[in-house]
Amino acid sequence: MARAECRSDRAGLKLTCSNDRALQLFNMALGAILSSNEDWVPYLEEACLLDSGFALAHCMLADYWLSGPNSILPDHPKVSVHLEALKTVDLSVTKREKCHIDATRAFASGSRPKAAEAWKAILVDNPKDILAIQVLFDACIDLAEFMLMRDYLAAVLPWWTEEDELYPFILSYYAFALEQTNQRDRAEELARKALDLQKKTPWAYHTLSHVVEEDRDAMAGVDFLTSTRQQWSSSILNGHITWHLALHYLDLGNMEGVFHEFDTVLCDQLQPDNLFGLVDAIALLWRLNVAGVEAGEERWKKITDVCAQHVENCTFTWFSVHVMMSLAHGKVSESAARLVLAERLLKSISEYAKSNTSTDCKVADVVGVPVCNALAAFGKEQYSEVVSLMLPLKYDLVKLGGSWAQRQVFSVTLIHAAIRSNQLPLALALIAELKGRKPKSKRLERLLDEVKASLGDDMQQGPIRPITLS
């Protein structure tokens, strides 16, 4: 097949593509993936059908299915079809495309960090490579490499101008990276600038959600997200930003608001192939669970019915620990079915940790297995065991990935385990540490006051019930 080497993508970078419509679809996908405002996968699937040798389209789809929110194994047809297609195009593509193919293969071999280094190298020579910007962004979230995210985005931004249609979306990515590296004032400034340029910039709203989470009163978060909901609710981030809104309601003790957001938005995301949505739903209800707030077995069952399908499919530690939360809620010892599933998951993640099939296996070994055991222990009311397992990991939990706001679920679990095991001085210290990062949190203030009151002036330990937020 004759190849047209002089074609260019929407950023002006040369690529190999033999079909005009396929190129148009690829450009549409590039815009859609950055904007997070529509599903771009069908565009690329059609592009690959129109041009079976379209290297970057195959890379983009393979990278997507391998990434954290999906975590599909390389031998799955959704991935393998693209890896096979790339074998036939190696000799007929540009240098940049060859680098992308190498990165995708590294990713498929289980080395997400190696793939990230390859994408970073691509961006040094091609700072307007939209695909590399996006896949490296996703990898940084999976790896919790937010300094890398901040630095590579700072390096590419000078090559983009406000006249570029996609500039606000890249700027919002940079704002998020700044927020995650504790530069919240600058993050807020750039997120608001992105919104001035383009109102429908989901990652700008997401970034501001994080700023409010750490620096503002929860009511300010509710007001901001409810007043702007029309701008972000149609985006792919709708569920996750709704999760942030539910956290603000939780901080205020507004359980009606929490359950409304779960029932009307988060519940709709409970699909086996929507790992991102499942994590949001699980983490929200687990925060209620450890605090002693009953979410209702009907809500939990909707989650556990889906998670049961992932018990023996450990491919991403971050997701597996959340699956364990869904199984360990309440008193797991009173549910024979969930207890069996929890044991199967522990066996599965232990085997995965020893398999050495990807760099994530080490994460599973060092952090994932003990955290899963700790979560199972919480469900068995073995709270001292939870503390023994999780406290030594306090500064290793970042290896699981995710944002700081997402990883707070582990801090909250440890705090309530300390309270329930009557280790009140430890609980007080942990609450104070977390409140240092969230000084205006009403929930932490209430919890801090209750533990201090139970301890008394002489720091004598006494019984205390978990705080009830309803």
Side-chain angles (χ1 to χ4, degrees):
M1 179 184 297
R3 311 300 304 177
E5 297 291 347
C6 60
R7 294 175 187 268
S8 299
D9 68 14
R10 64 184 297 159
L13 300 181
K14 290 184 178 180
L15 50 70
T16 305
C17 178
S18 65
N19 184 282
D20 289 340
R21 175 59 178 165
L23 179 59
Q24 181 186 30
L25 289 164
F26 180 75
N27 282 329
M28 290 166 64
L30 290 178
I33 196 172
L34 271 187
S35 71
S36 300
N37 281 318
E38 61 179 310
D39 182 6
W40 51 268
V41 172
Y43 296 149
L44 289 186
E45 290 176 336
E46 184 180 349
C48 289
L49 290 175
L50 292 170
D51 181 1
S52 61
F54 198 162
L56 289 187
H58 287 296
C59 286
M60 193 167 171
L61 281 170
D63 295 339
Y64 170 69
W65 292 119
L66 289 164
S67 66
N70 302 295
S71 296
I72 292 176
L73 293 173
D75 59 359
H76 190 285
K78 285 186 175 180
V79 179
S80 62
V81 65
H82 302 295
L83 296 178
E84 286 298 314
L86 291 174
K87 292 179 180 179
T88 67
V89 299
D90 284 15
L91 301 178
S92 60
V93 295
T94 65
K95 177 184 176 182
R96 179 175 71 97
E97 290 169 305
K98 287 178 181 177
C99 291
H100 268 290
I101 293 171
D102 289 343
T104 297
R105 286 176 174 159
F107 198 179
S109 72
S111 182
R112 190 180 272 113
K114 185 177 179 181
E117 284 299 315
W119 291 319
K120 181 183 176 184
I122 290 171
L123 287 168
V124 171
D125 294 326
N126 305 276
K128 299 197 76 172
D129 188 318
I130 299 168
L131 175 55
I133 289 172
Q134 181 62 50
V135 290
L136 184 51
F137 184 78
D138 293 337
C140 287
I141 292 176
D142 290 347
L143 297 166
E145 289 284 359
F146 293 107
M147 287 188 287
L148 170 58
M149 179 191 286
R150 177 198 62 199
D151 292 347
Y152 93 78
L153 287 166
V156 304
L157 267 173
W159 295 90
W160 295 80
T161 68
E162 293 184 15
E163 287 67 39
D164 286 308
E165 182 184 1
L166 298 179
Y167 176 78
F169 305 114
I170 298 171
L171 186 64
S172 71
Y173 280 9
Y174 183 47
F176 178 70
L178 290 172
E179 198 285 329
Q180 288 296 299
T181 51
N182 298 315
Q183 295 171 261
R184 289 186 288 280
D185 289 343
R186 180 65 172 155
E188 180 174 4
E189 176 189 347
L190 295 186
R192 294 193 181 282
K193 180 179 178 180
L195 291 176
D196 287 341
L197 294 169
Q198 169 54 262
K199 288 297 181 187
K200 290 198 172 185
T201 306
W203 277 92
Y205 294 107
H206 182 218
T207 298
L208 292 171
S209 298
H210 279 267
V211 171
V212 173
E213 163 83 10
E214 296 189 47
D215 278 353
R216 310 285 164 77
D217 183 277
M219 197 63 232
V222 170
D223 290 343
F224 170 67
L225 290 179
T226 54
S227 66
T228 59
R229 190 165 210 157
Q230 187 176 357
Q231 303 298 332
W232 52 263
S233 60
S234 60
S235 76
I236 293 172
L237 286 184
N238 176 40
H240 188 63
I241 297 177
T242 296
W243 174 79
H244 278 279
L245 175 57
L247 290 187
H248 294 317
Y249 282 127
L250 176 57
D251 195 76
L252 294 169
N254 182 347
M255 294 302 107
E256 183 179 351
V258 172
F259 291 131
H260 174 75
E261 298 304 333
F262 181 90
D263 294 338
T264 60
V265 179
L266 297 182
C267 198
D268 290 340
Q269 299 188 128
L270 302 180
Q271 303 297 328
D273 59 351
N274 187 357
L275 275 58
F276 194 43
L278 281 166
V279 164
D280 286 337
I282 294 166
L284 178 61
L285 293 197
W286 181 260
R287 290 187 190 219
L288 300 179
N289 178 73
V290 297
V293 178
E294 182 58 55
E297 190 57 32
E298 183 179 347
R299 290 189 178 94
W300 273 115
K301 189 176 185 303
K302 291 177 181 178
I303 293 175
T304 54
D305 284 350
V306 178
C307 286
Q309 302 174 49
H310 293 281
V311 165
E312 296 177 2
N313 184 33
C314 294
T315 59
F316 188 35
T317 304
W318 171 253
F319 179 63
S320 292
V321 297
H322 284 82
V323 172
M324 180 57 81
M325 292 177 197
S326 76
L327 301 175
H329 73 271
K331 296 181 179 180
V332 69
S333 56
E334 295 179 359
S335 172
R338 284 196 284 117
L339 192 59
V340 169
L341 288 172
E343 292 301 323
R344 282 167 55 190
L345 177 57
L346 286 171
K347 181 175 183 292
S348 177
I349 194 171
S350 296
E351 291 173 350
Y352 172 66
K354 293 178 174 60
S355 69
N356 201 32
T357 55
S358 79
T359 51
D360 184 58
C361 294
K362 185 175 182 180
V363 176
D365 185 41
V366 174
V367 186
V369 172
V371 167
C372 280
N373 276 295
L375 295 170
F378 199 104
K380 297 174 184 176
E381 301 180 279
Q382 299 169 354
Y383 304 120
S384 293
E385 179 71 4
V386 176
V387 174
S388 295
L389 287 167
M390 291 192 72
L391 188 60
L393 298 174
K394 207 170 72 157
Y395 298 107
D396 289 325
L397 292 169
V398 65
K399 296 174 182 176
L400 289 169
S403 69
W404 181 76
Q406 289 176 304
R407 292 193 304 275
Q408 278 181 55
V409 70
F410 304 109
S411 300
V412 172
T413 300
L414 181 56
I415 285 169
H416 283 285
I419 292 173
R420 291 178 185 231
S421 61
N422 212 31
Q423 301 180 58
L424 300 188
L426 172 61
L428 189 65
L430 294 170
I431 297 165
E433 288 175 12
L434 187 55
K435 197 172 185 302
R437 291 286 303 269
K438 299 175 61 175
K440 296 187 178 180
S441 169
K442 288 181 168 55
R443 179 170 63 97
L444 289 175
E445 186 175 340
R446 294 195 301 272
L447 193 56
L448 188 70
D449 289 344
E450 191 169 345
V451 174
K452 286 173 66 177
S454 184
L455 276 168
D457 293 336
D458 58 358
M459 291 287 282
Q460 292 298 314
Q461 295 185 34
I464 184 172
R465 292 180 294 103
I467 189 169
T468 300
L469 301 177
S470 55

